[in-house]
Amino acid sequence: VTGAAPGPSSIRRPRAKRGEGERLRDEILAAAERLLVKTGDADAVSIRGVAEAVGCTPPSIYLHFADKGELLFSVCQRHFEELNRYTEDASASADDPVDRLRLMGHAYVRFGLENPEAYRVLFLSANKIGVRDFDAEQLMELTCFGKLVATVAACIDAGRIRPGDPFTVACTVWVALHGLVSLLITRPDFPWPDVDLTSELIEMTMHGVLT
Amino acid sequence: VTGAAPGPSSIRRPRAKRGEGERLRDEILAAAERLLVKTGDADAVSIRGVAEAVGCTPPSIYLHFADKGELLFSVCQRHFEELNRYTEDASASADDPVDRLRLMGHAYVRFGLENPEAYRVLFLSANKIGVRDFDAEQLMELTCFGKLVATVAACIDAGRIRPGDPFTVACTVWVALHGLVSLLITRPDFPWPDVDLTSELIEMTMHGVLT
DNA sequence: TGTACATCAGTGAACGCGCGTTCACTGATGTAC
DNA sequence: TGTACATCAGTGAACGCGCGTTCACTGATGTAC
């Protein structure tokens, strides 16, 4: 009633110096990521919302991204890199391939539970982020699936996992882990048992796969 | 250019007879279900879209549903009933509890792959369908999870599955199956191996769990 | 050293669109007297 | 049998909103001569 703020919470950021136009690009990406994580829904992130969060106007975003799809695609790439960091760190800390497999599983689940909205965007929403898709090759690399296959192969070579196609085995392992993360995220209201379900599942998977 | 149709493809349905007002309710539900299955996205189903599909006007929908959330909630209930039919049929055809478990798993996956958009709505989207939630008790019943727990318990009693809490074991089994369905649905572009991954996963799960 | 010009980093206003929902209404059908 | 009235099953028009995107522009900073 007392007419406090002029518009919405529109704090204008200062215009970048001559050579620093790319700085806005980073700020847009960061803001889009924040909003995506906050809402967990690509549809809920709007160009206008991002612009307001950054403190610029909507058209400015088109100086750095062709359209909304390209913006969201870039955000996803960042999330994938974060996931890679999780599993990379985990697998680096063990020499035994079976231990490494276990640790990677735990790291994967931990990434999902600590970044549920990011996980939702990466694996739970339709793969059309805007118009753009990730192709098969990109997916292989980005989802750290390559590392998983290699680790499984090492286990098989060492005679620790029953002989079989490493790729297929890696798929079943990934599938099981993904099921856990996605259900814990989308159905937090389900009366989950009061045990460490992650360990429970990983041990079940291990037992199902080991020699 | 030749001005054929008057509005959009607006074919008006005839008004119901005096006592048959409830018929529109069914038609709305059916149309909403069709649209939901076609788009696979609750956000993409609009009151106006449903109205046009039915052949009535948007306000008519409010004669039968309080708001959009209530409409979508009702559609979900129908899908859950369909899922129950799948698993019911499958489990009825085997006496051995382990066989029954296997069959239920296959039926669950089959439901998901044959009704991907329904599955997406039930298990992949946020659990806020509009404003309404399914509560824990409803979920237990609707997802046919109770049957799964009972079957697992039967397996344990028969000494076929390693001793443990049936509920927890059922969770890990569900989690694994869900992971398969959801990844096959959301990532059809992933270079899945050319094997029956469903059987592969179910056998892995069984091997991980059986005595 | 001065000035015209190019470029960079944006802005302001508007476009047309589809959305959920509300409101006042209409016309057919039944019922009471 | 006639008529006033209630109810049922809707409709038409409008509300205000947020959206992606485009267009013409602006003002500061650098560069060439």
Side-chain angles (χ1 to χ4, degrees):
Chain A
V1 184
T2 44
S9 54
S10 46
I11 303 144
R12 273 290 147 72
R13 73 187 268 284
R15 165 192 293 238
K17 292 267 163 61
R18 190 60 180 261
E20 302 173 355
E22 288 300 294
R23 238 184 38 208
L24 178 56
R25 193 194 142 91
D26 291 341
E27 289 175 35
I28 291 169
L29 267 179
E33 190 167 347
R34 264 186 341 258
L35 286 177
L36 202 52
V37 161
K38 207 168 90 185
T39 64
D41 178 5
D43 279 349
V45 175
S46 69
I47 290 281
R48 299 166 112 103
V50 171
E52 209 211 317
V54 169
C56 70
T57 60
S60 300
I61 290 176
Y62 292 89
L63 297 172
H64 298 282
F65 301 92
D67 53 27
K68 192 184 174 182
E70 193 179 302
L71 171 56
L72 292 176
F73 183 80
S74 302
V75 173
C76 279
Q77 281 186 307
R78 287 195 165 197
H79 284 152
F80 273 129
E81 285 162 17
E82 178 75 2
L83 170 58
N84 262 311
R85 230 167 288 133
Y86 269 73
T87 54
E88 199 75 59
D89 291 355
S91 69
S93 64
D95 288 331
D96 182 65
V98 174
D99 288 346
R100 207 153 66 227
L101 199 54
R102 242 185 276 261
L103 286 172
M104 282 176 69
H106 279 281
Y108 184 89
V109 174
R110 196 157 44 77
F111 169 81
L113 300 184
E114 288 177 5
N115 309 278
E117 311 306 347
Y119 194 88
R120 206 194 286 273
V121 172
L122 292 184
F123 294 116
L124 262 47
S125 51
N127 64 332
K128 46 112 204 165
I129 294 288
V131 172
R132 265 154 279 284
D133 283 342
F134 290 99
D135 64 32
E137 208 176 313
Q138 280 180 302
L139 269 174
M140 288 290 292
E141 191 186 342
L142 292 171
T143 58
C144 62
F145 192 78
K147 252 183 304 180
L148 178 59
V149 175
T151 306
V152 167
C155 290
I156 293 176
D157 287 349
R160 307 286 297 279
I161 282 186
R162 291 201 308 282
D165 174 34
F167 191 89
T168 303
V169 174
C171 281
T172 61
V173 171
W174 179 35
V175 152
L177 293 174
H178 168 75
L180 178 63
V181 176
S182 68
L183 278 179
L184 289 179
I185 286 176
T186 59
R187 300 292 164 210
D189 46 333
F190 187 81
W192 297 107
D194 193 21
V195 299
D196 178 4
L197 208 58
T198 306
S199 296
E200 207 81 18
L201 179 77
I202 289 180
E203 291 316 311
M204 184 202 83
T205 305
M206 286 301 178
H207 189 256
V209 125
L210 294 178
T211 48
Chain B
V1 186
T2 43
S9 53
S10 45
I11 303 143
R12 273 290 146 74
R13 73 185 268 285
R15 164 190 295 237
K17 292 266 161 62
R18 188 62 179 262
E20 301 175 354
E22 289 300 292
R23 236 184 40 208
L24 177 55
R25 193 192 141 90
D26 291 341
E27 289 176 35
I28 291 169
L29 267 179
E33 189 167 348
R34 266 191 333 264
L35 286 177
L36 202 52
V37 161
K38 206 167 92 183
T39 64
D41 179 5
D43 278 350
V45 175
S46 68
I47 290 282
R48 299 166 113 103
V50 172
E52 209 211 316
V54 169
C56 69
T57 60
S60 301
I61 290 176
Y62 292 89
L63 296 173
H64 299 282
F65 301 93
D67 53 27
K68 193 184 173 182
E70 193 179 301
L71 170 58
L72 292 176
F73 183 81
S74 303
V75 173
C76 280
Q77 280 185 309
R78 288 197 164 194
H79 285 151
F80 273 128
E81 286 161 17
E82 178 76 2
L83 169 58
N84 262 311
R85 227 166 291 135
Y86 269 75
T87 55
E88 199 76 60
D89 291 354
S91 69
S93 63
D95 288 331
D96 181 64
V98 174
D99 287 346
R100 208 153 66 227
L101 199 54
R102 242 183 276 260
L103 287 172
M104 282 176 69
H106 278 282
Y108 184 88
V109 174
R110 196 158 43 77
F111 169 81
L113 299 185
E114 287 177 5
N115 309 276
E117 311 305 348
Y119 194 89
R120 207 193 286 271
V121 172
L122 292 185
F123 294 115
L124 263 46
S125 53
N127 63 332
K128 46 110 206 166
I129 293 289
V131 172
R132 265 152 280 283
D133 282 344
F134 290 100
D135 64 31
E137 207 177 314
Q138 280 180 303
L139 270 175
M140 287 291 292
E141 191 187 341
L142 292 171
T143 57
C144 63
F145 191 78
K147 251 182 306 178
L148 178 59
V149 175
T151 306
V152 167
C155 290
I156 294 177
D157 287 349
R160 309 285 297 280
I161 282 186
R162 291 201 307 282
D165 174 34
F167 190 89
T168 302
V169 174
C171 280
T172 60
V173 171
W174 179 35
V175 152
L177 293 174
H178 168 75
L180 178 64
V181 177
S182 67
L183 277 180
L184 288 179
I185 287 175
T186 59
R187 300 292 165 211
D189 45 335
F190 188 80
W192 298 108
D194 193 21
V195 300
D196 179 2
L197 209 56
T198 306
S199 297
E200 208 79 21
L201 179 76
I202 289 181
E203 290 317 311
M204 184 202 81
T205 305
M206 286 300 179
H207 190 255
V209 125
L210 294 178
T211 48

